[in-house]
Amino acid sequence: MTGAAPDHRAVPSFDEMTSVEVGAAIDANAVILVSLGATEQHGAHLPLGADTMQGIELARRTVARLQAEGHPAIVGPAIPFGPRGFLSETPIKLPGNVNLSARTFMRVLEEVGREIIDQGFRRVYFLGFHAESDAPMQIVAKTLCESTQANVVTLNWLVGARPRYSKFMEAKAQDGHGGEGETCRMLATAPHLCRMDKAAPWHPTVPQDRPDADALPYLGGGVGRYKMAEPYFEGFTSGITGDPQLATADRGELVYDIMTGWLADVIRHDLAGSEDFSRSEL
């Protein structure tokens, strides 16, 4: 059954579903999207659970689109804790962060993945919404593919969709954690939790004439630099990068539409392929 995508807000999260409904999804060979969030500071204007909320939101929108096209899909359980933040993003300790070590995070993600797969899901997508989860989730996905019958795929929207929507942003200076883009998405996700009267800009002092591909791997670059030399963080106190004051809910909707389109394209491509993984070494 195809047609206009239903209201994504009507798509339940995993913990809102019943056991019977999950069982029916397994019988239908549904795709399951597991969002990987975090509990961490996002400045004075955004809630600690911003990453988790955005991950669930994007999963809901993607599932709504897939279901409208006749592809069985559900929103999987969200992981609300992630690895500790990079010093190249936030070099000072701020209240509210509840992090896991990378080793513990991978253990949790692998066990959640195995639970899902043991129940019968065979197409599992890890949707990263916390930059520090990117490398660990790749390792876990590889492990699960090697040791189970499932096909586990990682999705990094920062590489897949962000370049497409960055041209719609107002900011000319560097934007990142808690900045314009993320605040646009949160205004579309949970406007009642955005304290826009407390939003304030901060931009790093970026060195000129950087080498080719001098960007972090999770952004599609080739340089894993996890500490930044002064004066990069000069005047840094708020915990965010960018100008959240420029954000609007309308552009948040536009951003989500671009992100949802990219995710749906990837999953459609996979669904159009063979499900014969018989040559996999288990």
Side-chain angles (χ1 to χ4, degrees):
M1 179 174 154
T2 60
D7 185 347
H8 67 274
R9 290 168 294 187
V11 174
S13 60
F14 193 80
D15 55 341
E16 293 171 339
M17 297 178 71
T18 67
S19 175
V20 172
E21 291 168 338
V22 173
I26 294 170
D27 291 342
N29 196 27
V31 166
I32 183 169
L33 279 72
V34 179
S35 57
L36 313 183
T39 301
E40 64 171 4
Q41 67 81 25
H42 282 77
H45 67 293
L46 294 182
L48 298 171
D51 287 353
T52 307
M53 295 175 196
Q54 292 170 77
I56 295 172
E57 178 81 359
L58 182 56
R60 276 189 163 122
R61 290 170 183 256
T62 304
V63 165
R65 187 169 299 193
L66 292 171
Q67 288 179 348
E69 297 171 359
H71 302 301
I74 69 168
V75 176
I79 310 295
F81 302 107
R84 296 182 181 94
F86 296 137
L87 295 176
S88 55
E89 181 176 83
T90 307
I92 59 177
K93 291 184 178 180
L94 293 166
N97 291 14
V98 180
N99 304 124
L100 302 176
S101 68
R103 185 185 300 273
T104 299
F105 172 75
M106 287 191 292
R107 178 76 178 269
V108 169
L109 183 57
E110 181 176 347
E111 294 200 10
V112 169
R114 288 190 184 278
E115 286 287 311
I116 290 169
I117 293 166
D118 286 348
Q119 291 176 25
F121 286 101
R122 290 295 178 264
R123 290 188 180 274
V124 181
Y125 289 86
F126 290 160
L127 172 56
F129 237 97
H130 177 61
E132 288 79 357
S133 298
D134 186 53
M137 77 175 178
Q138 292 181 44
I139 295 171
V140 173
K142 176 177 179 291
T143 299
L144 292 173
C145 282
E146 292 170 344
S147 59
T148 75
Q149 295 294 332
N151 191 21
V152 184
V153 177
T154 63
L155 297 166
N156 180 357
W157 66 269
L158 284 164
V159 175
R162 191 183 188 204
R164 304 185 194 184
Y165 81 68
S166 59
K167 63 184 178 181
F168 296 105
M169 297 293 103
E170 297 280 342
K172 304 306 178 188
Q174 183 172 328
D175 185 73
H177 180 73
E180 180 186 3
E182 188 158 23
T183 305
C184 282
R185 296 191 299 272
M186 282 304 295
L187 284 170
T189 301
H192 62 293
L193 297 179
C194 299
R195 291 80 158 171
M196 295 306 294
D197 60 318
K198 299 184 182 299
W202 179 83
H203 300 286
T205 303
V206 181
Q208 300 299 312
D209 302 320
R210 292 188 294 177
D212 290 344
D214 190 354
L216 287 164
Y218 66 79
L219 293 175
V223 182
R225 186 178 287 112
Y226 303 109
K227 289 183 178 179
M228 304 300 286
E230 295 294 347
Y232 185 90
F233 279 109
E234 185 176 357
F236 182 84
T237 59
S238 66
I240 66 101
T241 299
D243 190 351
Q245 294 174 327
L246 299 173
T248 67
D250 286 344
R251 280 186 291 122
E253 291 291 340
L254 171 64
V255 164
Y256 271 128
D257 190 56
I258 293 170
M259 295 165 73
T260 301
W262 177 71
L263 260 67
D265 284 347
V266 172
I267 295 171
R268 281 194 217 97
H269 173 81
D270 291 352
L271 291 172
S274 169
E275 292 189 0
D276 183 4
F277 302 112
S278 58
R279 293 178 62 87
S280 300
E281 295 183 8
L282 298 178

